[in-house]
Amino acid sequence: MELSLSTSSASPAVLRRQSSPLLHNQQVLGVSFASALKPGGALRFHSRRRPLHRPITCSASPSTAESSSEVKKKQLVRRNDVRNIAIVAHVDHGKTTLVDSMLRQAKVFRDNQVMQERIMDSNDLERERGITILSKNTSITYKNTKVNIIDTPGHSDFGGEVERVLNMVDGVLLVVDSVEGPMPQTRFVLKKALEFGHAVVVVVNKIDRPSARPEFVVNSTFELFIELNATDEQCDFQAIYASGIKGKAGLSPDDLAEDLGPLFEAIIRCVPGPNIEKDGALQMLATNIEYDEHKGRIAIGRLHAGALRKGMDVRVCTSEDSCRFARVSELFVYEKFYRVPTDTVEAGDICAVCGIDDIQIGETIADKVHGKPLPTIKVEEPTVKMSFSVNTSPFSGREGKYVTSRNLRDRLNRELERNLAMKVEDGETADTFIISGRGTLHITILIENMRREGYEFMVGPPKVINKRVNDKLLEPYEVATVEVPENHMGPVVELLGKRRGQMFDMQGVGSEGTVFLRYKIPTRGLLGLRNAILTASRGTAILNTVFDSYGPWAGDISTRDLGSLVAFEDGTSTSYALASAQERGQMFVGAGVDVYKGQIVGIHQRPGDLGLNICKKKAATNIRSNKDVTVVLDTPLTYSLDDCIEYIEEDELVEVTPLSIRMCKNPKMAKKGR
């Protein structure tokens, strides 16, 4: 697993500014920058296989703790036997698969141990959806150095998880797809990492894809560093080329080692050890909270100063004025894939602390006498809100275990303890709550978890959170990236234009005939857009979004052209009634399903709602017929929870129970349509 430094590397060092005189005839890390500047100002890199003339330098900008004062500098020491890293990337760029390979090659498991894919995605919902929702800790040992690894979510809706864990680490592995390059979420996580002054190692993953374009990806990533005002040291990043699924990595896209050795070497060399105050007063910031039925609340974080011991009396502080005393009952560190009990933890390591039942994320566990709080964690404000209320439908209480407003309030308050990016407020009535989050997915994951826990409630349509500044109404805007085959581009462009989207970039990708479209679009325009884009592109388009900024109100946006088919009678649906009803639109229910008055049973083929009786039975007569008419019914549409929340409008609700998801008209609002 030794790393050969004689391979060429496309790490764009020294290229801080395009006007730099260093650009001409400069040979750095095997990359020639002679004549790199064209008249148009574009940078072009030409990789050459030449031996290195100097060792690779990997740097991070000094953190605020380092540059505070000379006295402080003398007290701080680097701990070289530990590395703390977070793996960050856009969704589907291969973070969790890469962590799997790292764990396997570090001999975390026995040789005969059977392990499933995506080991870190332990949550049922994560496995079903194929996404990471919660950040998780693990550790490996490489050449007598302990490497604490944190796998983070890729969806922008879970950006609060990424912002928190960056407090625990000293460097990040920025994983970028070898075809797609930097995507919206790449920009978001990189911006946060650079603000913390962390060292960044860029991993160009999926290098074995047929249309991989590593030079373009490294150049685009470097341009992104400059756009985000990275320091000269941060721009001097190390690029590693890898195939996470095959477990191979190298310093050149054409010359991969048989294992991830070059990646491990880059982590040890490029990510600095934690900067600690070894003999200082104890300080640990609670960055994450887990719950165990036997141990209670478990606070997870990195020890910044001092040493923490089992049974130690500590002070828990939110600020200088608000502190309380507690005792550490148990102490754990992360070894391989498990939490291992320990008696003492030294500064610089990541640990889990038990015994403080009321600890919250952002609080500091400090020395009982001299302890001072660390700055609390700041998370960006939510942009979307939804209303949760008690189920008032005729079918309420049939399937759920927790149905009262008190049950709902307790569960939502428990979610706030762990989910920093979410907010809960009281609604207009005693049994209504307003939940604010980073995006629709952020809130629907909570709804799905509550549903599986036995809760029954109703959910209103998502609404954006606007701001008023200097008497001007501002609304959130997002950057939307759509990956669509060229032959379906027209309908997608038309759809985004209707929703006030403004295209600012378009580029073709490789030989696959795919086009990347980048839009700046109001968050309102994104509500219900995912299904519409899939329909317009026959299921081939991929939509990714990330919050950009608040901007001026864009005007009215029409998100749904068609009305709903609404049942106007309680009962059980019949084939006879559905046969005539399906001529009015597409149905959500089949025959033999219990429905109630006001339930949405289909999509009308025209604007405006239409009331239907789908429980009507065929009248019995005394005339015999040789053969009854055979009724052929269309297959009803199956809508998931996300689809239902995208579908509903202002006067509609989604009824969520452990066994069913139904849509209905809101009885408190005036009837719309005919």
Side-chain angles (χ1 to χ4, degrees):
M1 265 187 161
E2 287 301 319
L3 182 70
S4 168
L5 292 181
S6 61
T7 349
S8 78
S9 163
S11 171
V14 215
L15 271 184
R16 180 68 182 110
R17 293 175 184 83
Q18 294 188 1
S19 59
S20 170
L22 285 171
L23 280 172
H24 301 285
N25 301 315
Q26 180 78 34
Q27 178 77 25
V28 182
L29 304 182
V31 181
S32 170
F33 296 126
S35 311
L37 277 180
K38 301 292 179 189
L43 286 172
R44 302 195 180 277
F45 298 92
H46 305 285
S47 179
R48 291 184 188 170
R49 289 292 188 94
R50 292 184 58 177
L52 272 163
H53 299 301
R54 63 183 182 83
I56 297 170
T57 56
C58 305
S59 308
S61 64
S63 65
T64 48
E66 279 184 285
S67 55
S68 55
S69 68
E70 288 300 320
V71 181
K72 192 81 174 169
K73 272 184 184 177
K74 289 175 186 174
Q75 294 174 347
L76 292 174
V77 290
R78 285 272 179 214
R79 189 174 166 189
N80 289 320
D81 60 336
V82 173
R83 298 290 186 276
N84 298 318
I85 60 163
I87 299 192
V88 297
H90 187 81
V91 65
D92 279 342
H93 280 199
K95 296 177 303 301
T96 307
T97 308
L98 185 65
V99 175
D100 280 7
S101 293
M102 292 172 77
L103 290 170
R104 284 194 178 97
Q105 292 191 19
K107 300 293 182 188
V108 167
F109 310 110
R110 298 189 313 272
D111 291 336
N112 63 344
Q113 191 170 350
V114 178
M115 291 307 299
Q116 55 198 4
E117 284 185 13
R118 301 201 327 272
I119 305 155
M120 298 295 279
D121 287 348
S122 51
N123 185 314
D124 287 343
L125 213 49
E126 291 179 322
R127 295 205 147 273
E128 286 170 26
R129 291 177 179 242
I131 59 173
T132 303
I133 297 169
L134 304 170
S135 56
K136 299 173 198 69
N137 298 54
T138 185
S139 84
I140 60 173
T141 303
Y142 179 76
K143 291 188 176 177
N144 300 321
T145 303
K146 182 181 180 183
V147 182
N148 286 308
I149 303 171
I150 306 173
D151 185 23
T152 64
H155 275 277
S156 57
D157 288 32
F158 310 114
E161 292 277 323
V162 182
E163 287 173 70
R164 278 186 312 168
V165 301
L166 288 176
N167 281 278
M168 282 200 278
V169 299
D170 304 292
V172 297
L173 290 189
L174 183 71
V175 182
V176 187
D177 189 286
S178 65
V179 176
E180 295 178 356
M183 296 288 278
Q185 181 68 357
T186 315
R187 169 183 286 270
F188 173 79
V189 292
L190 179 59
K191 179 170 176 258
K192 294 291 172 192
L194 294 176
E195 284 173 3
F196 278 95
H198 291 334
V200 181
V201 176
V202 175
V203 181
V204 182
N205 197 23
K206 304 186 184 179
I207 199 69
D208 49 346
R209 284 182 68 175
S211 52
R213 41 181 192 167
E215 278 196 20
F216 166 82
V217 169
V218 171
N219 295 352
S220 304
T221 308
F222 177 66
E223 285 166 17
L224 184 59
F225 270 74
I226 292 193
E227 274 179 50
L228 297 175
N229 297 320
T231 63
D232 289 359
E233 292 85 0
Q234 287 170 328
C235 283
D236 188 15
F237 62 78
Q238 171 69 63
I240 297 287
Y241 303 91
S243 168
I245 200 158
K246 290 182 178 176
K248 295 182 177 183
L251 289 175
S252 162
D254 308 320
D255 188 17
L256 299 187
E258 287 303 308
D259 51 31
L260 292 173
L263 176 61
F264 290 129
E265 293 282 355
I267 291 170
I268 303 298
R269 188 180 65 253
C270 299
V271 176
N275 215 11
I276 59 166
E277 199 176 337
K278 194 171 184 181
D279 302 320
L282 171 68
Q283 275 185 319
M284 174 189 149
L285 188 68
T287 314
N288 209 349
I289 297 285
E290 287 184 9
Y291 186 80
D292 186 277
E293 288 182 4
H294 305 292
K295 298 180 177 65
R297 291 170 76 82
I298 303 172
I300 300 166
R302 189 180 88 179
L303 209 58
H304 285 261
L308 191 58
R309 288 180 295 280
K310 185 178 175 181
M312 187 178 185
D313 289 322
V314 294
R315 184 158 55 164
V316 182
C317 300
T318 309
S319 63
E320 290 277 4
D321 307 323
S322 90
C323 291
R324 59 192 186 279
F325 295 100
R327 172 170 285 186
V328 176
S329 62
E330 287 187 82
L331 203 53
F332 298 89
V333 290
Y334 288 89
E335 277 188 20
K336 298 184 178 179
F337 200 55
Y338 307 100
R339 276 201 298 260
V340 179
T342 183
D343 292 330
T344 309
V345 177
E346 292 183 7
D349 209 346
I350 292 173
C351 63
V353 179
C354 303
I356 309 172
D357 294 332
D358 55 351
I359 191 161
Q360 303 286 341
I361 290 173
E363 291 188 324
T364 304
I365 298 173
D367 185 78
K368 188 178 179 183
V369 182
H370 307 290
K372 290 186 178 179
L374 289 159
T376 55
I377 298 168
K378 290 178 183 171
V379 175
E380 288 188 5
E381 292 293 306
T383 56
V384 173
K385 61 183 178 182
M386 290 168 71
S387 65
F388 286 36
S389 58
V390 170
N391 190 1
T392 54
S393 83
F395 293 170
S396 63
R398 284 190 184 184
E399 300 168 356
K401 186 178 175 186
Y402 307 107
V403 295
T404 66
S405 60
R406 183 176 59 81
N407 295 144
L408 207 54
R409 184 189 297 276
D410 290 348
R411 176 61 180 84
L412 292 172
N413 286 337
R414 277 209 313 278
E415 185 68 19
L416 286 183
E417 293 173 357
R418 199 204 58 76
N419 205 330
L420 275 193
M422 197 169 271
K423 289 185 178 177
V424 176
E425 300 163 332
D426 289 331
E428 295 174 1
T429 59
D431 56 3
T432 307
F433 308 93
I434 307 297
I435 316 301
S436 305
R438 274 287 183 71
T440 313
L441 182 67
H442 189 198
I443 304 176
T444 52
I445 291 293
L446 168 64
I447 296 169
E448 184 64 46
N449 279 325
M450 289 174 66
R451 177 182 171 228
R452 293 178 183 210
E453 290 165 20
Y455 287 84
E456 186 177 301
F457 53 99
M458 282 186 153
V459 182
K463 298 176 185 175
V464 299
I465 300 170
N466 299 319
K467 284 183 180 177
R468 192 169 283 279
V469 180
N470 299 331
D471 291 332
K472 285 185 180 177
L473 185 62
L474 303 179
E475 65 173 327
Y477 279 77
E478 302 200 21
V479 172
T481 306
V482 186
E483 185 183 340
V484 63
E486 210 168 329
N487 52 338
H488 295 305
M489 194 175 84
V492 170
V493 169
E494 185 183 351
L495 195 61
L496 287 157
K498 279 183 184 174
R499 292 173 177 249
R500 308 275 179 177
Q502 294 180 335
M503 188 194 295
F504 64 85
D505 187 22
M506 180 174 76
Q507 51 180 283
V509 180
S511 57
E512 296 173 5
T514 306
V515 179
F516 272 111
L517 307 172
R518 293 180 199 271
Y519 277 81
K520 187 171 181 181
I521 185 169
T523 303
R524 280 184 305 137
L526 292 169
L527 302 178
L529 182 63
R530 203 171 295 273
N531 274 341
I533 276 191
L534 284 173
T535 306
S537 65
R538 299 191 179 181
T540 55
I542 299 169
L543 172 69
N544 289 299
T545 61
V546 69
F547 174 72
D548 182 56
S549 59
Y550 273 84
W553 178 260
D556 292 332
I557 296 174
S558 171
T559 55
R560 198 176 93 196
D561 300 327
L562 304 177
S564 299
L565 298 175
V566 184
F568 63 67
E569 188 178 281
D570 297 354
T572 305
S573 60
T574 64
S575 301
Y576 174 72
L578 286 169
S580 56
Q582 68 187 16
E583 295 172 8
R584 303 287 188 174
Q586 293 178 290
M587 306 303 294
F588 290 138
V589 295
V593 176
D594 288 342
V595 297
Y596 55 82
K597 184 179 178 181
Q599 183 178 332
I600 296 171
V601 293
I603 304 173
H604 193 197
Q605 60 193 9
R606 295 177 182 172
D609 298 337
L610 178 67
L612 290 175
N613 183 2
I614 62 165
C615 305
K616 186 168 59 176
K617 294 177 182 170
K618 188 177 180 181
T621 66
N622 59 356
I623 300 171
R624 287 185 182 179
S625 63
N626 293 331
K627 183 174 181 289
D628 282 334
V629 178
T630 305
V631 176
V632 180
L633 295 179
D634 297 337
T635 306
L637 295 172
T638 51
Y639 264 25
S640 66
L641 174 64
D642 300 72
D643 296 333
C644 291
I645 284 169
E646 277 199 0
Y647 176 80
I648 58 172
E649 285 200 324
E650 189 71 27
D651 62 338
E652 296 166 347
L653 297 168
V654 178
E655 179 190 352
V656 180
T657 75
L659 302 179
S660 312
I661 296 169
R662 307 181 190 93
M663 291 179 282
C664 63
K665 303 304 284 186
N666 189 344
K668 296 177 184 175
M669 300 188 73
K671 288 182 181 177
K672 188 177 74 170
R674 60 193 175 100

